Amino acid sequence: MERRVGTVSRGIRCPIIREGDNLSNIVVESVLGAAESEGFELRDRDVVSLTESIVARAQGNYATVQDIAADVKAKLGGGTIGVIFPILSRNRFAICLKGIAMGAKKVVLMLSYPSDEVGNALLTYDQLDEKGVNPYSDVLTLAKYRELFGENKHEFTGVDYVDYYTRIIREAGAEAEVIFANQAKAVLDYADCILTCDIHTRVRTKRILKEAGAKVVCGLDDIMTASVNGSGYNEKYGLLGSNKATEDKIKLFPKACQDLVEDIQSKILKETGKHVEVMVYGDGAFKDPQGKIWELADPVVSPAFTVGLVGTPNELKLKYLADNDFKNLNGAELKAAIENSIKAKEGNLVGSMASQGTTPRQLTDLIGSLCDLTSGSGDKGTPVVLVQGYFDNYTDQ
């Protein structure tokens, strides 16, 4: 019988993961148990994906605000610190800011505007246009910001992040000063020890600040890169990718977990004879058209994956073939012509008109985005996602 289904994404329910759990065994048992109960079989090149959250939780990769404060003080001196370009997030950054402020006497908080790096808006461009503000050059004090724009609450959370972050700093025992600018060098008029909190632009920001004469420059990826008083850590990403766990504790991005994905792959091969791919994923890489928020607040979509997930798709655009190369064909003849084109396609279609409009992104970014949407971030209870048929094409039966 002709196959009628392509890619399928399934959320796999798992037990609640705790520190020290054998995550490899739990994932394998959960996937195989789901296959048995739902009546499907694993196939070669299926993808088993784990949320970064359960990996970090099983690793016990946590740190307290006191740990953050100690590391910040050691690396930035404990005096006046310029904290620039943070994202606006209660879950992602607010608790980090608490720890940062505990490690300083004064925090000069420099917010980008009209939105943060991932699209959370303080203002709109229409508001800037109305007031004649140039976001590429103008530096605003808090007093000027309030005079021009008043209070601005986040569309989805209802939080005035300017006030919220200021209160966090002061309640942590530090003096707070807030400015608004999009040029990193602007902070050097206020402080020379700088903690830059941007995610995807951090390398450039650090370079600019160092070239401009900053005394000390660190990024969030330089804080909590080693254990502090027995805490968790992330050698590569530091505080990037962390999430709030409790009012005084964060869950860090998972530490080295390449061995984990390879172990799961090996165990499933042993149990089923099928060679699956395995990856750990965090935020997907997509943008919300309503709030203009780019989902990716993690440093990468996938911190670990098996070798079969290296690379980008190599696909032909079926509608291009149908509308151009085979525009005079129909029915079985058209189907056969397209199938032959797929079978004959080259290993690299870069530059080919027949591949235009396909998505030239990393496989892990694409599959991770699919998995993030499948698992959600709430109460679905499916921290493992099984993707089947992702590598199939129109010719596979």
Coordinates of all heavy atoms in Angstrom, one line a residue, residues 279-356:
M279 N 19.1 13.9 20.3 CA 19.5 15.2 20.5 C 18.9 15.8 21.8 O 17.9 15.3 22.2 CB 19.2 16.1 19.3 CG 17.7 16.3 19.1 SD 17.4 17.4 17.6 CE 17.7 19.0 18.4
V280 N 19.6 16.7 22.4 CA 19.1 17.5 23.5 C 18.7 18.9 22.9 O 19.4 19.4 22.1 CB 20.1 17.7 24.6 CG1 19.6 18.6 25.7 CG2 20.6 16.4 25.2
Y281 N 17.5 19.4 23.3 CA 17.1 20.7 22.7 C 16.5 21.6 23.8 O 16.1 21.1 24.8 CB 16.0 20.4 21.6 CG 14.7 20.0 22.2 CD1 13.6 20.9 22.5 CD2 14.4 18.6 22.5 CE1 12.4 20.4 23.0 CE2 13.2 18.2 23.0 CZ 12.2 19.1 23.3 OH 11.0 18.7 23.8
G282 N 16.7 22.9 23.5 CA 16.1 23.9 24.4 C 15.1 24.7 23.7 O 14.1 24.1 23.1
D283 N 15.3 26.0 23.6 CA 14.3 26.9 22.9 C 14.4 26.5 21.4 O 15.5 26.3 20.8 CB 14.7 28.3 23.0 CG 14.2 28.9 24.3 OD1 13.3 28.3 24.9 OD2 14.6 30.0 24.7
G284 N 13.2 26.6 20.7 CA 13.2 26.6 19.3 C 13.7 27.9 18.7 O 13.8 28.9 19.4
A285 N 13.9 27.9 17.4 CA 14.4 29.1 16.8 C 13.3 29.6 15.8 O 13.3 29.3 14.6 CB 15.7 28.8 16.0
F286 N 12.4 30.4 16.4 CA 11.3 30.9 15.5 C 10.8 32.2 16.2 O 11.1 32.5 17.3 CB 10.1 29.9 15.4 CG 9.7 29.3 16.7 CD1 8.9 29.9 17.6 CD2 10.2 28.0 17.1 CE1 8.5 29.3 18.8 CE2 9.8 27.4 18.3 CZ 8.9 28.1 19.1
K287 N 10.0 33.0 15.4 CA 9.6 34.3 15.9 C 8.1 34.4 15.9 O 7.4 33.9 14.9 CB 10.2 35.4 15.0 CG 9.9 36.8 15.4 CD 10.7 37.8 14.6 CE 10.5 39.2 15.1 NZ 11.3 40.2 14.4
D288 N 7.5 34.9 17.0 CA 6.1 35.1 17.1 C 5.7 36.4 16.3 O 6.2 37.5 16.6 CB 5.8 35.3 18.6 CG 4.3 35.8 18.8 OD1 3.4 35.3 18.1 OD2 4.1 36.7 19.6
P289 N 4.8 36.2 15.4 CA 4.4 37.4 14.6 C 3.6 38.4 15.3 O 3.5 39.6 15.0 CB 3.6 36.8 13.4 CG 3.0 35.5 14.0 CD 4.1 35.0 14.9
Q290 N 2.9 38.0 16.4 CA 2.1 39.0 17.2 C 3.0 39.8 18.1 O 2.9 41.1 18.1 CB 1.0 38.2 18.0 CG 0.3 39.1 19.0 CD -0.6 40.2 18.4 OE1 -1.1 40.0 17.3 NE2 -0.7 41.3 19.1
G291 N 3.7 39.2 19.0 CA 4.5 39.9 19.9 C 5.9 40.2 19.4 O 6.7 40.9 20.1
K292 N 6.3 39.7 18.3 CA 7.6 40.0 17.6 C 8.7 39.4 18.5 O 9.9 39.8 18.4 CB 7.8 41.5 17.4 CG 6.7 42.2 16.7 CD 6.5 41.7 15.3 CE 5.6 42.5 14.4 NZ 4.2 42.4 14.9
I293 N 8.4 38.4 19.3 CA 9.4 37.8 20.1 C 10.1 36.6 19.4 O 9.4 35.7 19.0 CB 8.8 37.3 21.5 CG1 8.2 38.5 22.2 CG2 9.8 36.6 22.3 CD1 7.3 38.1 23.4
W294 N 11.4 36.6 19.4 CA 12.2 35.5 18.9 C 12.4 34.5 20.0 O 12.9 34.9 21.1 CB 13.5 36.0 18.4 CG 14.4 35.0 17.7 CD1 14.0 33.9 17.0 CD2 15.8 35.0 17.6 NE1 15.0 33.2 16.5 CE2 16.2 33.9 16.9 CE3 16.8 35.8 18.2 CZ2 17.5 33.5 16.7 CZ3 18.1 35.5 17.9 CH2 18.5 34.4 17.2
E295 N 12.0 33.3 19.9 CA 11.9 32.4 20.9 C 13.3 32.0 21.5 O 13.4 31.7 22.7 CB 11.2 31.1 20.5 CG 11.2 29.9 21.5 CD 10.2 30.2 22.6 OE1 9.5 31.2 22.6 OE2 10.3 29.4 23.6
L296 N 14.3 32.1 20.7 CA 15.6 31.5 21.1 C 16.3 32.4 22.2 O 17.2 33.2 21.8 CB 16.5 31.3 19.9 CG 17.8 30.6 20.1 CD1 17.6 29.2 20.8 CD2 18.6 30.5 18.8
A297 N 16.1 32.1 23.4 CA 16.8 32.8 24.5 C 17.9 31.9 25.1 O 18.7 32.3 25.9 CB 15.8 33.1 25.7
D298 N 18.0 30.7 24.5 CA 19.2 29.8 24.9 C 20.3 30.1 23.9 O 20.1 30.7 22.8 CB 18.8 28.3 24.7 CG 17.9 27.8 25.8 OD1 18.1 28.3 26.9 OD2 17.0 27.0 25.5
P299 N 21.6 29.8 24.3 CA 22.7 30.2 23.4 C 22.7 29.3 22.1 O 23.2 29.8 21.1 CB 23.9 29.8 24.3 CG 23.4 28.9 25.3 CD 22.0 29.3 25.6
V300 N 22.1 28.1 22.2 CA 22.0 27.3 21.0 C 20.7 26.5 21.1 O 20.2 26.4 22.2 CB 23.2 26.3 20.8 CG1 24.4 27.0 20.5 CG2 23.3 25.5 22.1
V301 N 20.1 26.0 20.0 CA 19.0 25.2 20.1 C 19.3 23.8 20.7 O 18.6 23.3 21.6 CB 18.3 25.0 18.7 CG1 17.2 23.9 18.8 CG2 17.8 26.3 18.2
S302 N 20.5 23.3 20.3 CA 20.8 21.9 20.7 C 22.3 21.9 21.2 O 23.2 22.1 20.4 CB 20.7 20.9 19.6 OG 21.1 19.6 20.0
P303 N 22.5 21.6 22.5 CA 23.9 21.5 23.0 C 24.6 20.2 22.7 O 25.8 20.1 23.0 CB 23.7 21.8 24.5 CG 22.4 21.3 24.8 CD 21.5 21.6 23.6
A304 N 23.8 19.2 22.3 CA 24.4 17.8 22.1 C 23.5 17.1 21.1 O 22.3 17.1 21.3 CB 24.6 17.1 23.4
F305 N 24.1 16.4 20.2 CA 23.3 15.6 19.2 C 24.3 14.5 18.6 O 25.5 14.7 18.5 CB 22.7 16.4 18.2 CG 23.6 17.5 17.6 CD1 24.4 17.2 16.5 CD2 23.7 18.7 18.1 CE1 25.3 18.1 15.9 CE2 24.6 19.7 17.6 CZ 25.4 19.4 16.5
T306 N 23.7 13.4 18.1 CA 24.4 12.4 17.4 C 24.8 12.8 16.0 O 24.2 13.8 15.5 CB 23.6 11.1 17.4 OG1 22.3 11.3 16.9 CG2 23.5 10.5 18.8
V307 N 25.8 12.2 15.5 CA 26.5 12.6 14.3 C 25.5 12.7 13.1 O 25.7 13.5 12.1 CB 27.7 11.8 14.0 CG1 27.3 10.3 13.5 CG2 28.6 12.4 12.9
G308 N 24.5 11.9 13.0 CA 23.6 11.9 11.9 C 22.7 13.2 11.8 O 22.0 13.3 10.8
L309 N 22.8 14.0 12.8 CA 22.1 15.3 12.8 C 22.9 16.5 12.4 O 22.5 17.6 12.5 CB 21.4 15.5 14.1 CG 20.4 14.5 14.5 CD1 19.8 14.8 16.0 CD2 19.2 14.5 13.6
V310 N 24.1 16.2 12.0 CA 25.0 17.3 11.5 C 24.6 17.7 10.1 O 24.3 16.8 9.2 CB 26.5 16.8 11.5 CG1 27.4 17.9 10.8 CG2 27.0 16.5 12.9
G311 N 24.5 19.0 9.8 CA 24.3 19.4 8.4 C 22.9 20.2 8.3 O 22.3 20.5 9.3
T312 N 22.6 20.4 7.0 CA 21.4 21.1 6.7 C 20.5 20.2 5.7 O 21.1 19.3 5.1 CB 21.7 22.4 6.0 OG1 22.5 22.2 4.8 CG2 22.5 23.3 6.9
P313 N 19.2 20.5 5.5 CA 18.4 19.8 4.6 C 19.0 19.9 3.2 O 19.6 20.9 2.8 CB 17.1 20.4 4.7 CG 17.0 21.1 6.0 CD 18.5 21.5 6.3
N314 N 18.7 18.9 2.3 CA 19.1 18.9 0.9 C 17.9 18.5 0.1 O 17.7 17.4 -0.3 CB 20.3 18.0 0.7 CG 20.9 18.1 -0.7 OD1 21.3 19.2 -1.1 ND2 20.9 17.0 -1.4
E315 N 17.0 19.5 0.0 CA 15.6 19.2 -0.6 C 15.3 19.9 -1.8 O 15.8 21.1 -2.0 CB 14.6 19.5 0.5 CG 14.8 18.7 1.8 CD 13.8 19.1 2.9 OE1 13.2 20.2 2.7 OE2 13.7 18.4 3.9
L316 N 14.5 19.3 -2.7 CA 14.0 20.0 -3.9 C 12.6 20.6 -3.5 O 11.9 20.0 -2.7 CB 13.8 19.0 -5.0 CG 15.1 18.5 -5.6 CD1 14.8 17.4 -6.6 CD2 15.9 19.6 -6.3
K317 N 12.2 21.7 -4.1 CA 10.9 22.3 -3.9 C 9.9 21.7 -4.9 O 10.0 21.9 -6.1 CB 11.0 23.8 -4.1 CG 9.9 24.6 -3.5 CD 10.0 24.7 -2.0 CE 9.0 25.7 -1.4 NZ 9.2 25.8 0.0
L318 N 9.0 20.9 -4.4 CA 8.1 20.1 -5.3 C 7.3 21.1 -6.2 O 7.0 20.9 -7.3 CB 7.2 19.2 -4.5 CG 7.9 18.1 -3.8 CD1 6.9 17.0 -3.3 CD2 9.0 17.4 -4.6
K319 N 6.8 22.2 -5.5 CA 5.9 23.1 -6.3 C 6.7 23.8 -7.4 O 6.1 24.2 -8.4 CB 5.3 24.1 -5.4 CG 6.2 25.1 -4.7 CD 5.4 26.0 -3.7 CE 6.3 27.0 -3.0 NZ 5.5 27.8 -2.0
Y320 N 8.0 24.0 -7.2 CA 8.8 24.6 -8.3 C 8.9 23.6 -9.5 O 8.8 24.0 -10.6 CB 10.2 24.9 -7.8 CG 11.1 25.5 -8.8 CD1 11.2 26.9 -9.0 CD2 11.9 24.7 -9.6 CE1 11.9 27.5 -10.0 CE2 12.7 25.3 -10.6 CZ 12.7 26.7 -10.8 OH 13.5 27.2 -11.8
L321 N 9.2 22.4 -9.1 CA 9.2 21.4 -10.2 C 7.9 21.3 -10.9 O 7.9 21.2 -12.2 CB 9.6 20.0 -9.6 CG 11.0 19.9 -9.0 CD1 11.2 18.5 -8.4 CD2 12.1 20.1 -10.1
A322 N 6.8 21.3 -10.2 CA 5.5 21.1 -10.8 C 5.1 22.3 -11.7 O 4.5 22.2 -12.7 CB 4.4 20.9 -9.7
D323 N 5.5 23.5 -11.2 CA 5.2 24.8 -12.0 C 6.1 25.1 -13.1 O 5.8 26.0 -13.9 CB 5.0 25.9 -11.0 CG 3.9 25.8 -10.1 OD1 3.0 25.0 -10.3 OD2 3.8 26.5 -9.0
N324 N 7.3 24.5 -13.1 CA 8.3 24.9 -14.1 C 8.8 23.7 -14.9 O 8.4 23.6 -16.1 CB 9.5 25.5 -13.3 CG 9.2 26.9 -12.7 OD1 9.3 27.9 -13.4 ND2 8.8 26.9 -11.5
D325 N 9.6 22.9 -14.3 CA 10.2 21.8 -15.1 C 9.1 20.9 -15.7 O 9.3 20.4 -16.9 CB 11.1 20.9 -14.3 CG 12.3 21.7 -13.8 OD1 12.2 22.9 -13.5 OD2 13.4 21.2 -13.6
F326 N 8.1 20.6 -15.0 CA 7.1 19.6 -15.4 C 5.7 20.2 -15.5 O 4.7 19.6 -15.2 CB 7.0 18.4 -14.5 CG 8.4 17.8 -14.2 CD1 8.9 17.7 -12.9 CD2 9.2 17.4 -15.3 CE1 10.2 17.2 -12.7 CE2 10.5 16.9 -15.0 CZ 11.0 16.8 -13.8
K327 N 5.6 21.5 -16.0 CA 4.3 22.2 -16.0 C 3.3 21.6 -17.0 O 2.1 21.9 -16.9 CB 4.6 23.7 -16.3 CG 5.2 24.0 -17.6 CD 5.5 25.5 -17.8 CE 6.2 25.8 -19.1 NZ 6.5 27.2 -19.2
N328 N 3.8 20.9 -17.9 CA 2.9 20.3 -18.9 C 2.5 18.8 -18.6 O 1.8 18.2 -19.4 CB 3.6 20.3 -20.3 CG 3.8 21.7 -20.8 OD1 3.0 22.6 -20.6 ND2 5.0 21.9 -21.4
L329 N 2.9 18.4 -17.4 CA 2.6 17.0 -17.0 C 1.5 17.0 -16.0 O 1.3 17.9 -15.2 CB 3.8 16.3 -16.5 CG 5.0 16.2 -17.4 CD1 6.2 15.4 -16.7 CD2 4.7 15.5 -18.7
N330 N 0.8 15.8 -15.9 CA -0.3 15.7 -14.9 C -0.3 14.2 -14.4 O 0.3 13.3 -15.0 CB -1.6 16.1 -15.5 CG -1.8 17.5 -15.7 OD1 -1.9 18.3 -14.7 ND2 -1.9 17.9 -16.9
G331 N -1.0 14.0 -13.3 CA -1.3 12.7 -12.8 C -0.1 11.8 -12.6 O 1.0 12.3 -12.1
A332 N -0.1 10.6 -13.0 CA 0.9 9.6 -12.8 C 2.2 10.0 -13.5 O 3.3 9.8 -12.9 CB 0.5 8.2 -13.3
E333 N 2.1 10.6 -14.6 CA 3.3 11.1 -15.3 C 4.0 12.1 -14.6 O 5.3 12.1 -14.5 CB 2.9 11.6 -16.7 CG 4.0 11.8 -17.7 CD 3.6 12.2 -19.1 OE1 2.4 12.6 -19.2 OE2 4.5 12.2 -20.0
L334 N 3.3 13.1 -14.0 CA 3.9 14.1 -13.2 C 4.6 13.5 -11.9 O 5.7 13.9 -11.6 CB 2.8 15.2 -12.8 CG 3.3 16.3 -11.8 CD1 4.4 17.1 -12.4 CD2 2.1 17.2 -11.4
K335 N 3.8 12.6 -11.3 CA 4.4 12.0 -10.1 C 5.7 11.3 -10.4 O 6.7 11.4 -9.6 CB 3.3 11.0 -9.5 CG 3.7 10.3 -8.2 CD 2.6 9.5 -7.7 CE 2.9 8.8 -6.3 NZ 4.0 7.8 -6.4
A336 N 5.7 10.5 -11.5 CA 6.9 9.8 -11.8 C 8.1 10.7 -12.1 O 9.2 10.4 -11.7 CB 6.6 8.9 -13.0
A337 N 7.8 11.8 -12.8 CA 8.9 12.8 -13.2 C 9.5 13.4 -11.9 O 10.7 13.5 -11.8 CB 8.3 13.8 -14.1
I338 N 8.6 13.8 -11.0 CA 9.1 14.4 -9.7 C 9.9 13.3 -8.9 O 11.0 13.7 -8.4 CB 7.9 15.0 -8.9 CG1 7.4 16.2 -9.6 CG2 8.4 15.3 -7.5 CD1 6.2 16.9 -8.9
E339 N 9.4 12.1 -8.8 CA 10.1 11.1 -8.1 C 11.5 10.9 -8.7 O 12.5 10.7 -8.0 CB 9.3 9.8 -8.1 CG 8.1 9.8 -7.2 CD 7.3 8.5 -7.2 OE1 7.6 7.7 -8.1 OE2 6.5 8.3 -6.3
N340 N 11.6 10.9 -10.0 CA 12.9 10.7 -10.7 C 13.8 11.8 -10.4 O 15.0 11.6 -10.2 CB 12.7 10.5 -12.2 CG 12.1 9.2 -12.6 OD1 12.2 8.2 -11.8 ND2 11.4 9.1 -13.7
S341 N 13.3 13.0 -10.3 CA 14.1 14.2 -10.0 C 14.7 14.1 -8.6 O 15.8 14.4 -8.3 CB 13.3 15.5 -10.1 OG 13.0 15.7 -11.5
I342 N 13.8 13.6 -7.7 CA 14.3 13.5 -6.3 C 15.4 12.4 -6.2 O 16.4 12.6 -5.5 CB 13.1 13.1 -5.4 CG1 12.1 14.3 -5.3 CG2 13.6 12.7 -4.0 CD1 10.8 14.0 -4.6
K343 N 15.2 11.3 -6.9 CA 16.2 10.2 -6.8 C 17.5 10.6 -7.5 O 18.6 10.1 -7.1 CB 15.6 9.0 -7.5 CG 14.5 8.3 -6.7 CD 13.8 7.2 -7.5 CE 12.7 6.6 -6.8 NZ 12.0 5.5 -7.6
A344 N 17.4 11.5 -8.4 CA 18.6 11.9 -9.1 C 19.3 13.2 -8.6 O 20.3 13.6 -9.1 CB 18.3 12.2 -10.6
K345 N 18.7 13.8 -7.5 CA 19.2 15.1 -7.0 C 20.7 14.9 -6.5 O 21.1 13.8 -6.0 CB 18.4 15.6 -5.9 CG 18.3 14.8 -4.6 CD 17.4 15.5 -3.6 CE 17.3 14.7 -2.3 NZ 16.4 15.2 -1.3
E346 N 21.4 15.9 -6.6 CA 22.8 15.9 -6.2 C 22.9 16.0 -4.7 O 22.0 16.4 -4.0 CB 23.6 17.1 -6.8 CG 23.6 17.0 -8.4 CD 24.3 18.2 -9.0 OE1 24.7 19.1 -8.2 OE2 24.4 18.2 -10.2
G347 N 24.1 15.7 -4.2 CA 24.3 15.7 -2.7 C 24.2 17.1 -2.1 O 24.0 17.3 -1.0
N348 N 24.5 18.1 -2.9 CA 24.5 19.5 -2.5 C 23.7 20.4 -3.5 O 24.2 20.5 -4.6 CB 25.9 20.1 -2.3 CG 25.9 21.4 -1.6 OD1 24.9 22.1 -1.6 ND2 27.0 21.8 -1.0
L349 N 22.6 20.9 -3.1 CA 21.7 21.7 -4.0 C 21.9 23.2 -3.8 O 21.1 24.0 -4.3 CB 20.3 21.3 -3.8 CG 19.9 19.9 -4.1 CD1 18.5 19.6 -3.7 CD2 20.0 19.6 -5.6
V350 N 22.9 23.6 -3.1 CA 23.1 25.0 -2.9 C 23.2 25.7 -4.3 O 24.0 25.4 -5.2 CB 24.4 25.3 -2.1 CG1 24.7 26.8 -2.1 CG2 24.3 24.8 -0.7
G351 N 22.4 26.8 -4.5 CA 22.4 27.5 -5.7 C 21.5 27.0 -6.8 O 21.2 27.7 -7.8
S352 N 20.9 25.8 -6.5 CA 19.9 25.3 -7.5 C 18.6 26.0 -7.4 O 18.1 26.2 -6.3 CB 19.7 23.8 -7.2 OG 18.6 23.3 -8.0
M353 N 18.0 26.4 -8.5 CA 16.7 27.1 -8.5 C 15.6 26.1 -8.0 O 14.7 26.6 -7.4 CB 16.4 27.5 -9.9 CG 17.2 28.7 -10.4 SD 17.0 30.2 -9.4 CE 15.3 30.6 -9.8
A354 N 15.8 24.8 -8.2 CA 14.8 23.9 -7.8 C 14.8 23.7 -6.3 O 13.9 23.1 -5.7 CB 15.0 22.5 -8.5
S355 N 15.8 24.2 -5.6 CA 15.8 24.2 -4.1 C 15.4 25.5 -3.4 O 15.4 25.6 -2.2 CB 17.2 23.7 -3.6 OG 18.1 24.7 -3.8
Q356 N 15.1 26.5 -4.2 CA 14.8 27.8 -3.6 C 13.5 27.7 -2.8 O 12.6 27.1 -3.2 CB 14.7 28.9 -4.7 CG 13.5 28.7 -5.7 CD 13.4 29.8 -6.7 OE1 13.8 30.9 -6.5 NE2 12.7 29.5 -7.8

